[in-house]
Short mmCIF file of all heavy atoms in Angstrom, two decimals:
data_model
loop_
_atom_site.label_atom_id
_atom_site.label_comp_id
_atom_site.label_asym_id
_atom_site.label_seq_id
_atom_site.Cartn_x
_atom_site.Cartn_y
_atom_site.Cartn_z
N GLN A 244 58.16 109.31 110.60
CA GLN A 244 59.50 109.74 110.19
C GLN A 244 60.42 109.80 111.41
O GLN A 244 60.02 110.32 112.46
CB GLN A 244 59.45 111.11 109.53
CG GLN A 244 58.64 111.16 108.23
CD GLN A 244 58.83 112.49 107.52
OE1 GLN A 244 59.91 112.80 107.04
NE2 GLN A 244 57.76 113.28 107.47
N LEU A 245 61.65 109.32 111.25
CA LEU A 245 62.63 109.29 112.33
C LEU A 245 63.87 110.07 111.92
O LEU A 245 64.38 109.92 110.81
CB LEU A 245 63.00 107.85 112.70
CG LEU A 245 61.86 106.95 113.18
CD1 LEU A 245 62.40 105.56 113.52
CD2 LEU A 245 61.16 107.57 114.39
N PHE A 246 64.35 110.91 112.86
CA PHE A 246 65.55 111.71 112.66
C PHE A 246 66.44 111.61 113.90
O PHE A 246 65.97 111.29 114.99
CB PHE A 246 65.21 113.19 112.40
CG PHE A 246 64.40 113.42 111.16
CD1 PHE A 246 63.01 113.35 111.19
CD2 PHE A 246 65.02 113.74 109.96
CE1 PHE A 246 62.25 113.57 110.06
CE2 PHE A 246 64.27 113.96 108.82
CZ PHE A 246 62.88 113.88 108.86
N THR A 247 67.72 111.88 113.69
CA THR A 247 68.63 111.99 114.83
C THR A 247 68.49 113.36 115.47
O THR A 247 67.75 114.23 114.99
CB THR A 247 70.08 111.78 114.37
OG1 THR A 247 70.46 112.86 113.50
CG2 THR A 247 70.24 110.46 113.64
N GLY A 248 69.21 113.57 116.58
CA GLY A 248 69.16 114.86 117.24
C GLY A 248 69.71 115.99 116.39
O GLY A 248 69.43 117.17 116.63
N LYS A 249 70.52 115.67 115.38
CA LYS A 249 71.06 116.69 114.48
C LYS A 249 70.23 116.87 113.22
O LYS A 249 70.62 117.60 112.31
CB LYS A 249 72.49 116.32 114.08
CG LYS A 249 73.46 116.29 115.27
CD LYS A 249 74.86 115.95 114.79
CE LYS A 249 75.85 115.94 115.96
NZ LYS A 249 77.22 115.61 115.51
N GLY A 250 69.07 116.21 113.17
CA GLY A 250 68.20 116.35 112.01
C GLY A 250 68.55 115.42 110.86
O GLY A 250 68.01 115.58 109.76
N THR A 251 69.43 114.46 111.10
CA THR A 251 69.80 113.53 110.03
C THR A 251 68.79 112.40 109.96
O THR A 251 68.45 111.80 110.98
CB THR A 251 71.19 112.93 110.31
OG1 THR A 251 72.13 114.00 110.45
CG2 THR A 251 71.62 112.03 109.16
N PRO A 252 68.25 112.11 108.77
CA PRO A 252 67.30 111.01 108.66
C PRO A 252 67.94 109.69 109.09
O PRO A 252 69.10 109.40 108.77
CB PRO A 252 66.93 110.99 107.17
CG PRO A 252 67.26 112.37 106.68
CD PRO A 252 68.43 112.82 107.48
N ILE A 253 67.22 108.88 109.83
CA ILE A 253 67.72 107.58 110.26
C ILE A 253 67.50 106.58 109.13
O ILE A 253 66.37 106.16 108.86
CB ILE A 253 67.02 107.12 111.56
CG1 ILE A 253 67.33 108.10 112.70
CG2 ILE A 253 67.44 105.72 111.93
CD1 ILE A 253 66.67 107.73 114.00
N ASP A 254 68.60 106.23 108.46
CA ASP A 254 68.58 105.37 107.27
C ASP A 254 69.08 103.99 107.68
O ASP A 254 70.15 103.85 108.25
CB ASP A 254 69.47 105.98 106.19
CG ASP A 254 69.37 105.24 104.87
OD1 ASP A 254 68.87 104.10 104.86
OD2 ASP A 254 69.81 105.80 103.86
N LEU A 255 68.31 102.94 107.35
CA LEU A 255 68.70 101.59 107.71
C LEU A 255 70.02 101.16 107.08
O LEU A 255 70.79 100.42 107.68
CB LEU A 255 67.61 100.60 107.30
CG LEU A 255 66.34 100.54 108.14
CD1 LEU A 255 65.43 99.45 107.62
CD2 LEU A 255 66.66 100.31 109.60
N TYR A 256 70.28 101.61 105.86
CA TYR A 256 71.42 101.09 105.12
C TYR A 256 72.53 102.12 104.92
O TYR A 256 73.49 101.85 104.21
CB TYR A 256 70.95 100.56 103.75
CG TYR A 256 69.99 99.41 103.90
CD1 TYR A 256 68.61 99.62 103.88
CD2 TYR A 256 70.45 98.12 104.10
CE1 TYR A 256 67.73 98.56 104.04
CE2 TYR A 256 69.58 97.06 104.26
CZ TYR A 256 68.22 97.28 104.23
OH TYR A 256 67.34 96.24 104.41
N GLY A 257 72.43 103.27 105.53
CA GLY A 257 73.49 104.24 105.42
C GLY A 257 73.49 104.95 104.08
O GLY A 257 72.63 104.74 103.22
N GLU A 258 74.52 105.77 103.89
CA GLU A 258 74.56 106.62 102.70
C GLU A 258 74.75 105.80 101.42
O GLU A 258 74.16 106.10 100.39
CB GLU A 258 75.69 107.64 102.84
CG GLU A 258 75.79 108.61 101.67
CD GLU A 258 76.90 109.62 101.87
OE1 GLU A 258 77.56 109.57 102.92
OE2 GLU A 258 77.09 110.48 100.98
N ASN A 259 75.59 104.77 101.47
CA ASN A 259 75.90 104.01 100.26
C ASN A 259 75.49 102.55 100.36
O ASN A 259 75.98 101.72 99.59
CB ASN A 259 77.41 104.09 99.97
CG ASN A 259 77.89 105.51 99.77
OD1 ASN A 259 77.25 106.30 99.09
ND2 ASN A 259 79.02 105.83 100.38
N GLY A 260 74.58 102.23 101.31
CA GLY A 260 74.23 100.83 101.50
C GLY A 260 73.10 100.34 100.62
O GLY A 260 72.95 99.14 100.42
N ALA A 261 72.29 101.25 100.07
CA ALA A 261 71.16 100.83 99.25
C ALA A 261 71.63 100.44 97.86
O ALA A 261 72.69 100.85 97.39
CB ALA A 261 70.14 101.96 99.16
N GLN A 262 70.82 99.62 97.17
CA GLN A 262 71.12 99.16 95.82
C GLN A 262 69.99 99.57 94.89
O GLN A 262 68.87 99.86 95.31
CB GLN A 262 71.30 97.64 95.79
CG GLN A 262 72.35 97.13 96.77
CD GLN A 262 72.47 95.62 96.74
OE1 GLN A 262 72.59 95.02 95.67
NE2 GLN A 262 72.41 94.99 97.90
N THR A 263 70.29 99.58 93.61
CA THR A 263 69.32 99.96 92.58
C THR A 263 68.72 98.72 91.96
O THR A 263 69.44 97.77 91.62
CB THR A 263 69.98 100.82 91.50
OG1 THR A 263 70.57 101.98 92.11
CG2 THR A 263 68.94 101.29 90.47
N VAL A 264 67.42 98.70 91.79
CA VAL A 264 66.74 97.57 91.17
C VAL A 264 67.01 97.59 89.67
O VAL A 264 66.85 98.62 89.01
CB VAL A 264 65.23 97.62 91.45
CG1 VAL A 264 64.53 96.42 90.82
CG2 VAL A 264 64.96 97.65 92.94
N LEU A 265 67.43 96.43 89.14
CA LEU A 265 67.73 96.30 87.72
C LEU A 265 66.88 95.20 87.11
O LEU A 265 66.52 94.22 87.77
CB LEU A 265 69.22 95.96 87.51
CG LEU A 265 70.24 96.96 88.07
CD1 LEU A 265 71.65 96.43 87.86
CD2 LEU A 265 70.09 98.33 87.44
N THR A 266 66.56 95.36 85.83
CA THR A 266 65.86 94.32 85.08
C THR A 266 66.86 93.22 84.70
O THR A 266 68.07 93.39 84.83
CB THR A 266 65.23 94.92 83.82
OG1 THR A 266 66.28 95.47 83.00
CG2 THR A 266 64.24 96.03 84.19
N PRO A 267 66.37 92.05 84.21
CA PRO A 267 67.31 90.99 83.83
C PRO A 267 68.33 91.40 82.78
O PRO A 267 69.42 90.84 82.72
CB PRO A 267 66.38 89.88 83.30
CG PRO A 267 65.09 90.10 84.05
CD PRO A 267 64.96 91.59 84.19
N ASP A 268 67.99 92.41 81.92
CA ASP A 268 68.95 92.86 80.91
C ASP A 268 69.78 94.04 81.38
O ASP A 268 70.48 94.67 80.58
CB ASP A 268 68.23 93.22 79.61
CG ASP A 268 67.14 94.27 79.83
OD1 ASP A 268 66.90 94.64 81.00
OD2 ASP A 268 66.56 94.73 78.84
N GLY A 269 69.73 94.36 82.69
CA GLY A 269 70.59 95.39 83.25
C GLY A 269 70.04 96.79 83.20
O GLY A 269 70.77 97.74 83.50
N GLN A 270 68.76 96.98 82.89
CA GLN A 270 68.17 98.31 82.84
C GLN A 270 67.66 98.72 84.24
O GLN A 270 67.19 97.89 85.00
CB GLN A 270 67.00 98.35 81.84
CG GLN A 270 67.41 98.00 80.42
CD GLN A 270 68.40 99.00 79.83
OE1 GLN A 270 68.29 100.21 80.07
NE2 GLN A 270 69.36 98.49 79.07
N ILE A 271 67.77 100.00 84.55
CA ILE A 271 67.33 100.52 85.85
C ILE A 271 65.81 100.61 85.89
O ILE A 271 65.18 101.14 84.96
CB ILE A 271 67.96 101.90 86.13
CG1 ILE A 271 69.49 101.77 86.21
CG2 ILE A 271 67.42 102.50 87.41
CD1 ILE A 271 70.21 103.09 86.41
N VAL A 272 65.22 100.12 86.98
CA VAL A 272 63.78 100.16 87.16
C VAL A 272 63.40 101.49 87.82
O VAL A 272 64.03 101.90 88.80
CB VAL A 272 63.29 98.97 88.01
CG1 VAL A 272 61.79 99.06 88.25
CG2 VAL A 272 63.66 97.66 87.33
N GLU A 273 62.38 102.17 87.27
CA GLU A 273 61.94 103.44 87.81
C GLU A 273 60.88 103.23 88.88
O GLU A 273 60.11 102.27 88.85
CB GLU A 273 61.38 104.34 86.70
CG GLU A 273 62.41 104.81 85.70
CD GLU A 273 61.83 105.81 84.72
OE1 GLU A 273 60.59 106.06 84.80
OE2 GLU A 273 62.58 106.35 83.87
#
Side-chain angles (χ1 to χ4, degrees):
Q244 297 189 67
L245 299 181
F246 298 87
T247 66
K249 296 182 179 180
T251 304
I253 297 179
D254 187 344
L255 284 183
Y256 298 95
E258 182 178 0
N259 301 316
Q262 305 179 49
T263 303
V264 181
L265 302 176
T266 61
D268 57 355
Q270 300 296 322
I271 298 177
V272 177
E273 293 186 356

